[in-house]
Amino acid sequence: MPDECFTHPVLAALYDPLDPDRGDLDAYVGMAEEFGARRVLDIGWGTGVFALLLAERGIEVVGVDPARASLDVARAKPGADRVRWLHGDATSLPPLDAVDLAVMTANAAQEIVDPDAWHGTLRGARTALRPGGHLVFETRDPARRAWEAWNRAASYRVTDVPGTGPVAHWVETTDVRGPLVTFRSTYVLPGAGPALTSDSTLRFRERDEIEADLTAHGYTLDAVRDAPDRPGREFVFVARRP
């Protein structure tokens, strides 16, 4: 199930204003150009920022995400009619024209914590890709232990959201069990009563585990790159359907 920050209508509407810097997507736009992608599958699009960036460039985009509130936010944006939005996940995609590139940006890959859903996503993406097409996604390097910095003192911010006012927000790690890390995002809206919260769990997979999973599902691993805006902290996997 998707997290409350994507399914709660109020929180979904706050997602972009509270995280306006999406420079992390520049590398993915660059890879779409590098691979000459004309058709792209965006898995776990969130509020549709990346899908719309590609659509503005004349690329045919299909986005799939299980969060209805985020879908509503994405569909309300300028240019949304140029994207085919699907409510669901990559384990049960409808028949698609073969895509050149499938992507999972930001936390999308790590949010798939269930092993069956993870393997189903890799299968679904491979089926959607044309021969020679690429699957690209990122995941945090577990050795960097990013969750140790997820606390109120380090993350507390107040953002003035147009039409809403000052929103206080922060994240705190609440549980670490093996590869699973759970954290809570808290939001305090002006005059809105009790704080709203969203609990999220990410799976921190080791690099060799992901490489083995890609091989098992028939991909050829072309490269494991660095995230240009977060050097040394992320693995960016570039796999290809032979």
Side-chain angles (χ1 to χ4, degrees):
M1 294 293 293
D3 306 330
E4 292 94 332
C5 62
F6 299 112
T7 60
H8 191 293
V10 172
L11 296 183
L14 289 173
Y15 189 86
D16 290 336
L18 298 185
D19 187 18
D21 181 5
R22 294 310 309 271
D24 60 301
L25 299 177
D26 292 346
Y28 289 92
V29 173
M31 282 187 277
E33 295 173 351
E34 175 187 347
F35 302 137
R38 304 311 306 159
R39 294 191 181 93
V40 174
L41 172 64
D42 186 5
I43 300 169
W45 74 68
T47 56
V49 177
F50 180 62
L52 291 170
L53 283 174
L54 295 183
E56 288 173 1
R57 290 160 170 78
I59 296 173
E60 182 182 330
V61 186
V62 176
V64 60
D65 195 284
R68 175 66 69 180
S70 292
L71 173 59
D72 293 339
V73 170
R75 280 180 168 162
K77 292 182 176 181
D81 57 334
R82 291 179 289 191
V83 177
R84 181 183 177 189
W85 307 103
L86 300 176
H87 182 228
D89 58 51
T91 66
S92 56
L93 291 168
L96 302 175
D97 291 336
V99 301
D100 306 303
L101 176 65
V103 295
M104 291 183 278
T105 63
N107 287 334
Q110 287 189 259
E111 287 173 345
I112 306 171
V113 298
D114 178 75
D116 289 341
W118 171 245
H119 290 288
T121 297
L122 295 181
R123 285 193 298 269
R126 188 182 187 282
T127 299
L129 286 167
R130 64 166 175 80
H134 291 84
L135 168 66
V136 179
F137 61 92
E138 66 183 66
T139 182
R140 291 177 176 86
D141 180 356
R144 296 300 298 267
R145 303 176 67 84
W147 59 87
E148 293 181 348
W150 298 346
N151 56 70
R152 176 170 174 149
S155 64
Y156 182 89
R157 301 286 186 276
V158 177
T159 302
D160 192 9
V161 178
T164 300
V167 177
H169 52 105
W170 64 91
V171 296
E172 297 173 288
T173 298
T174 57
D175 191 39
V176 180
R177 299 188 185 187
L180 300 180
V181 176
T182 300
F183 61 96
R184 173 166 292 175
S185 301
T186 300
Y187 310 83
V188 181
L189 281 66
L196 298 175
T197 60
S198 175
D199 292 322
S200 305
T201 299
L202 303 180
R203 181 176 287 272
F204 282 73
R205 298 177 178 89
E206 298 291 345
R207 173 174 171 168
D208 58 355
E209 175 188 357
I210 295 173
E211 291 180 356
D213 288 344
L214 290 169
T215 298
H217 286 285
Y219 292 93
T220 297
L221 182 62
D222 285 348
V224 181
R225 302 182 181 182
D226 212 2
D229 61 316
R230 288 150 291 158
R233 293 188 286 169
E234 303 268 344
F235 300 129
V236 180
F237 291 87
V238 180
R240 175 172 42 86
R241 176 179 176 175

